[in-house]
């Protein structure tokens, strides 16, 4: 890895946003708001934090990443493509019949996808199991899982948190994309989550709150280690980078018309 990964991470994040929005515009399907809130997190993980090898997706000592908010496929597919897991010429097939790049990531079709996700609340329990396996076998890989904040309303997350804290899984990092919007409304209006940090602390996690678009802050938080599981609450902006999308709930699954696409691409520079 180069001495200063920040310029590369920022460049990859910009490419990911532009490419994901192009995919959504072409398909007229997708979840661009959540893609854009998660992009900087994924770029930081794949290009500054995780130990992984796209030539060996099943390498036993790789770090594992679980995209629990599986609907944000524009973000995860562009991250995997930029990292070299599959060729760029797959991207125009996004959401088309027969494409490996369907509406939720499928490990049977897409190299680098650790587990199928989509039903919210499932990714964190899977990551828990992977981390427990590493603890039992003594392997030094780390497991990272990204959830949405609305997804925290699923009870399976809290069952996983209880076990992770009990087992002191220092090899597990939970990242929460805290953009405060879910489908149709704000998280606090729908089913309040705050104080989210205190809740995870009560389960035995080391908790850190960061700006989810500050690459330097993300690097520091995601590379820190301790003797307990970590929870990174990444404060983000839904639709980050495009003025008419930022903090607007409809862009959870909105798709752009031609004029909106042109404006967004002009802003994403």
């Amino acid at each position: 890895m180069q001495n200063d990964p920040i310029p590369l991470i920022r460049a990859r994040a910009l490419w990911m946003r532009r490419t994901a929005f192009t995919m959504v515009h072409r398909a007229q399907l997708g979840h661009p708001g959540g893609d854009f809130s998660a992009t900087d997190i994924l770029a930081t993980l794949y290009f500054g934090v995780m130990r992984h090898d796209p030539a060996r997706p099943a390498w036993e000592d790789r770090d594992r990443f679980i995209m629990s908010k599986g609907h944000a496929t524009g973000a995860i597919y562009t991250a995997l493509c930029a990292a070299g897991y599959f060729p760029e010429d797959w991207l125009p097939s996004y959401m088309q019949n027969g494409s490996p790049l369907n509406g939720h990531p499928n490990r049977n079709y897409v190299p680098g996808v650790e587990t199928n996700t989509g039903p919210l609340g499932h990714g964190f329990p899977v990551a828990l199991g992977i981390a427990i396996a590493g603890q039992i076998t003594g392997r030094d890989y780390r497991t990272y899982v990204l959830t949405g904040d609305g997804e925290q309303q699923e009870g399976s997350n809290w069952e996983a948190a209880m076990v992770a804290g009990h087992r002191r899984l220092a090899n597990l990092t939970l990242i929460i994309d805290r953009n405060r919007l879910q489908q149709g409304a704000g998280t606090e209006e729908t089913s309040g989550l705050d104080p989210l940090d205190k809740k995870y602390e009560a389960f035995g996690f080391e908790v850190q709150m960061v700006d989810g678009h500050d690459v330097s802050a993300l690097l520091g938080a995601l590379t820190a280690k301790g003797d307990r599981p970590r929870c990174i609450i990444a404060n983000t902006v839904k639709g980050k980078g495009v003025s008419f999308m930022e903090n607007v709930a409809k862009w959870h699954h909105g798709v752009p018309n031609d004029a909106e696409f042109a404006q967004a691409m002009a802003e994403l520079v």
Side-chain angles (χ1 to χ4, degrees):
M1 186 183 300
Q2 61 187 37
N3 291 333
D4 181 7
I6 291 177
L8 173 63
I9 294 168
R10 288 174 175 161
R12 290 287 189 267
L14 176 60
W15 180 86
M16 288 164 60
R17 281 191 174 89
R18 291 178 61 86
T19 303
F21 208 56
T22 300
M23 291 158 54
V24 169
H25 177 244
R26 180 186 293 115
Q28 287 294 289
L29 292 167
H31 294 80
D35 287 338
F36 285 10
S37 63
T39 296
D40 297 304
I41 298 166
L42 290 180
T44 302
L45 282 168
Y46 278 94
F47 301 103
V49 175
M50 291 199 307
R51 180 176 65 190
H52 64 108
D53 183 355
R56 296 180 294 164
W59 177 36
E60 289 188 352
D61 291 323
R62 72 193 181 281
D63 290 336
R64 274 71 164 171
F65 172 70
I66 305 297
M67 185 69 164
S68 191
K69 48 175 285 181
H71 54 280
T73 46
I76 187 59
Y77 290 157
T78 53
L80 290 171
C81 180
Y85 282 91
F86 60 82
E88 195 170 335
D89 61 14
W90 283 22
L91 298 177
S93 73
Y94 179 62
M95 296 279 201
Q96 303 304 305
N97 288 338
S99 172
L101 307 181
N102 59 31
H104 292 97
N106 188 320
R107 70 183 305 274
N108 298 300
Y109 304 141
V110 183
V113 172
E114 294 286 349
T115 189
N116 298 12
T117 53
L120 296 178
H122 289 196
F124 187 12
V126 170
L128 170 75
I130 293 171
I132 291 173
Q135 185 185 64
I136 291 173
T137 59
R139 293 192 175 275
D140 68 348
Y141 65 77
R142 297 191 62 80
T143 302
Y144 301 88
V145 54
L146 177 64
T147 76
D149 51 0
E151 183 178 1
Q152 293 296 305
Q153 294 156 4
E154 298 286 350
S156 49
N157 288 302
W158 301 104
E159 295 175 17
M162 180 167 57
V163 175
H166 171 73
R167 296 189 66 101
R168 298 184 71 89
L169 291 174
N171 60 350
L172 175 65
T173 299
L174 165 68
I175 310 148
I176 302 173
D177 182 358
R178 188 70 168 115
N179 61 40
R180 295 183 173 270
L181 286 173
Q182 58 192 94
Q183 181 172 316
T187 58
E188 303 313 290
E189 176 186 351
T190 304
S191 182
L193 297 172
D194 286 332
L196 196 52
D197 55 340
K198 300 301 182 186
K199 291 173 181 174
Y200 273 97
E201 286 172 359
F203 279 98
F205 280 66
E206 296 178 357
V207 179
Q208 185 173 353
M209 301 183 72
V210 299
D211 179 342
H213 303 299
D214 182 333
V215 170
S216 179
L218 285 168
L219 274 173
L222 292 169
T223 54
K225 296 180 180 179
D227 61 359
R228 292 183 289 157
R230 291 182 57 76
C231 173
I232 309 302
I233 300 175
N235 292 306
T236 61
V237 175
K238 198 147 197 164
K240 174 67 174 179
V242 177
S243 58
F244 61 83
M245 291 175 59
E246 290 189 351
N247 291 316
V248 178
K250 79 168 189 176
W251 287 101
H252 176 81
H253 52 55
V255 294
N257 58 34
D258 291 347
E260 289 168 332
F261 175 71
Q263 180 179 340
M265 297 302 278
E267 294 182 14
L268 291 170
V269 293

